[in-house]
Amino acid sequence: KQWYQRRVAITAGEVISEYVVKKIPIPLRDFTSEPRLIVIRSFDVNKPGSEVESLKGGVAGGSLLKGVLKVGQEIEVRPGITTKDAEGNLHCVPIRSRVLTMFAENNDLQFAVPGGLIGVGTKIDPTLCIGDRLVGHVIGSEGSLPPIYTLIEIQYHLMRRLLGVRTEGKSKGAKVDNLSKNEVLLVNIGSLSAGGRVSAI
């Protein structure tokens, strides 16, 4: 009986693997465009008490969406450093740096292509990378990244009812109210989750 159960489990695994290989197409990789990497982690690799001479720049981890990233390449991080002035207006200053090292697992890379996760060692001040501070930022060649926007206009479609909320008995989920002016929403863009205020509808 145990042999039969093990054989059934192996056969099911083989069927699933075959389906994945034959039915799910391999995504097309763009190697000719300017590189664009979306940051999902960032950290400071320096240990407390390190000497100034041995300090290393911040590390950004993420997935290359397109293009080829090379060691020694000049890069730009957007939106970069964000500040607010006295009137509450948001200002963004992109960070410029250079790729010093690249790693995938324990492999030292000289260049990276789309697919998989990589760690990019830079000359960026480690305090800007510590504790995932660069999550949601985008890395690319200097001057190739899209503009930074603080106000966007979107078309949206609301779900009729809340999903993922526990209800009692046969009662349906709560209805979703229409958006209202000055309502604060959680906006997910790439790997970034940020609050956004509705300015007009």
Side-chain angles (χ1 to χ4, degrees):
K1 185 177 180 180
Q2 291 180 348
W3 175 87
Y4 175 75
Q5 290 175 339
R6 192 179 301 120
R7 183 61 192 159
V8 169
I10 292 173
T11 305
E14 290 172 351
V15 170
I16 293 171
S17 298
E18 184 178 355
Y19 182 85
V20 168
V21 170
K22 290 186 176 181
K23 298 295 183 181
I24 300 178
I26 298 173
L28 295 175
R29 307 294 188 188
D30 182 0
F31 302 108
T32 58
S33 300
E34 292 290 341
R36 188 167 299 175
L37 181 139
I38 188 164
V39 180
I40 60 172
R41 285 202 65 200
S42 69
F43 42 89
D44 174 14
V45 295
N46 300 295
K47 295 180 180 178
S50 298
E51 297 293 333
V52 174
E53 296 78 12
S54 63
L55 288 178
K56 297 180 180 178
V59 176
S63 235
L64 198 60
L65 302 178
K66 61 180 181 178
V68 178
L69 195 61
K70 301 174 183 176
V71 171
Q73 186 170 351
E74 299 289 333
I75 57 170
E76 185 176 34
V77 182
R78 289 197 176 200
I81 301 171
T82 56
T83 57
K84 280 187 177 181
D85 59 21
E87 298 175 355
N89 297 318
L90 194 66
H91 298 278
C92 302
V93 179
I95 303 169
R96 290 178 173 83
S97 185
R98 179 184 293 120
V99 177
L100 298 181
T101 58
M102 283 193 295
F103 289 90
E105 297 291 337
N106 295 322
N107 300 319
D108 191 3
L109 305 176
Q110 291 303 309
F111 64 91
V113 296
L117 297 174
I118 60 170
V120 181
T122 67
K123 296 179 72 175
I124 297 173
D125 185 340
T127 59
L128 297 176
C129 301
I130 194 170
D132 290 336
R133 288 186 182 176
L134 288 185
V135 169
H137 291 237
V138 179
I139 295 177
S141 297
E142 200 169 336
S144 70
L145 294 178
I148 301 168
Y149 296 98
T150 57
L151 182 68
I152 58 173
E153 182 177 334
I154 62 170
Q155 291 183 336
Y156 64 92
H157 177 75
L158 296 175
M159 295 183 178
R160 294 181 180 177
R161 297 189 180 277
L162 290 174
L163 300 177
V165 179
R166 182 177 291 179
T167 57
E168 296 181 3
K170 295 183 179 179
S171 61
K172 296 181 179 179
K175 287 188 177 180
V176 177
D177 296 328
N178 290 327
L179 298 181
S180 58
K181 188 175 179 180
N182 292 324
E183 183 176 354
V184 177
L185 304 174
L186 180 64
V187 183
N188 293 294
I189 304 172
S191 61
L192 176 69
S193 295
R197 187 179 299 276
V198 178
S199 60
I201 296 181

